[in-house]
């Protein structure tokens, strides 16, 4: 049920049954849980279910999930996360302010990363799967991000501010590319057609970073 273990400040661990089908909104929010294994019987975890679990360092996700909902693990102590191949969508703010999160292994079937999904994490390097077609606004904005790797021969929508709309064209190193074109005031498309690197600037913190593809 919703709020089942909400604000249970002494709850550090729990064993979930293999018969469990879903975890509802706020189920563990603000509890003291430190780690959890979500059985493969779980197909749905509603938004905010684990938000503000400040001691939560380790999560094993169900292999039956298709969506990581909005705010699901916001402001937790996660250090790494593996997104199972069943997942196609990571929702807005899903891992925002997970300030210890350094390692993310994405699903091989992931198509969409939501707005602010990994904002203010400790990620230094990230590899975007070739299946991803959409990256939301400020999805990876942080002070620590230094390197982004894309698959070649992919095309996706990158929203204004995902890293930054102002790509450093003067810093291209023998890269063939399709120039960014606006769909509207917020979204731009990029098609990557060759391996190479591009240095770009995030105007929000004025630090240079590296993209590899």
């Amino acid at each position: 049920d919703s709020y089942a273990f909400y604000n249970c400040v002494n709850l550090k661990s729990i064993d979930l049954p293999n018969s469990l089908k879903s975890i509802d909104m706020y189920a563990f929010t603000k509890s003291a849980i430190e780690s959890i294994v979500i059985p493969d019987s779980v197909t749905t975890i509603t938004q905010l279910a684990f938000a503000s679990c400040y001691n939560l360092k380790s999560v094993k996700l169900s292999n039956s999930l298709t969506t990581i909902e909005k705010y699901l693990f916001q402001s937790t102590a996660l250090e790494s996360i593996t997104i199972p191949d069943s997942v196609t969508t990571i929702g807005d703010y899903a891992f925002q302010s997970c300030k210890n999160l350094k390692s993310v292994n994405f699903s091989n079937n992931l198509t969409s990363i939501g707005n602010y999904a990994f904002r203010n994490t400790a990620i230094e390097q990230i590899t975007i799967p070739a299946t991803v077609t959409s990256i939301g606004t400020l999805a990876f904005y942080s002070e620590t991000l230094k390197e982004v790797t894309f698959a070649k021969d992919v095309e996706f929508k990158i929203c204004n501010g995902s890293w930054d709309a102002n790509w450093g064209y003067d810093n291209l190193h023998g890269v063939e590319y399709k120039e960014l074109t606006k769909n509207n005031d917020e979204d731009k498309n990029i098609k990557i057609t060759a391996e190479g690197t591009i240095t770009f600037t995030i105007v929000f913190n004025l630090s240079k970073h590296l993209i590899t593809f």
Side-chain angles (χ1 to χ4, degrees):
D1 293 343
S2 298
Y3 296 92
F5 299 99
Y6 180 86
N7 204 31
C8 288
V9 295
N10 295 316
L11 179 65
K12 293 186 177 182
S13 64
I14 190 170
D15 293 326
L16 300 177
N18 291 328
S19 57
L20 188 66
K21 301 296 184 185
S22 64
I23 299 174
D24 290 340
M25 188 181 295
Y26 298 110
F28 293 94
T29 302
K30 294 187 177 181
S31 70
I33 197 164
E34 296 177 350
S35 65
I36 194 165
V37 175
I38 300 170
D40 290 344
S41 57
V42 173
T43 59
T44 303
I45 306 175
T46 308
Q47 63 186 23
L48 290 159
F50 293 96
S52 300
C53 290
Y54 302 118
N55 299 321
L56 182 59
K57 294 183 179 181
S58 175
V59 172
K60 167 65 171 64
L61 291 172
S62 164
N63 287 311
S64 300
L65 289 176
T66 58
T67 301
I68 306 297
E69 294 285 356
K70 294 179 180 179
Y71 304 99
L72 189 55
F73 294 106
Q74 179 179 260
S75 299
T76 61
L78 287 175
E79 297 174 351
S80 65
I81 190 72
T82 296
I83 310 296
D85 285 344
S86 56
V87 171
T88 60
T89 302
I90 297 175
D92 298 347
Y93 307 93
F95 296 93
Q96 179 179 246
S97 296
C98 292
K99 295 184 178 180
N100 297 324
L101 183 61
K102 293 184 177 181
S103 174
V104 180
N105 294 314
F106 284 120
S107 160
N108 290 320
N109 297 302
L110 187 67
T111 61
S112 177
I113 300 172
N115 300 327
Y116 309 97
F118 293 92
R119 186 186 185 191
N120 292 336
T121 64
I123 295 171
E124 295 182 358
Q125 187 279 333
I126 199 74
T127 299
I128 307 298
T131 52
V132 171
T133 58
S134 177
I135 301 174
T137 298
L138 293 173
F140 291 95
Y141 176 69
S142 73
E143 296 292 331
T144 61
L145 184 63
K146 296 178 181 178
E147 184 174 334
V148 181
T149 302
F150 295 106
K152 63 178 179 178
D153 300 324
V154 296
E155 185 169 5
F156 56 88
K157 179 176 71 175
I158 187 165
C159 294
N160 187 15
S162 296
W163 352 86
D164 174 50
N166 299 320
W167 296 73
Y169 296 127
D170 293 338
N171 296 314
L172 289 170
H173 302 290
V175 177
E176 297 177 20
Y177 69 99
K178 176 182 176 182
E179 187 171 355
L180 297 175
T181 56
K182 285 190 175 183
N183 289 336
N184 51 51
D185 290 340
E186 294 185 354
D187 298 339
K188 296 187 175 185
N189 290 336
I190 182 170
K191 184 176 182 180
I192 296 169
T193 58
E195 292 182 352
T197 59
I198 178 173
T199 301
F200 67 107
T201 301
I202 295 180
V203 295
F204 305 103
N205 64 9
L206 300 179
S207 58
K208 286 192 174 181
H209 301 270
L210 179 70
I211 287 183
T212 303
F213 48 87

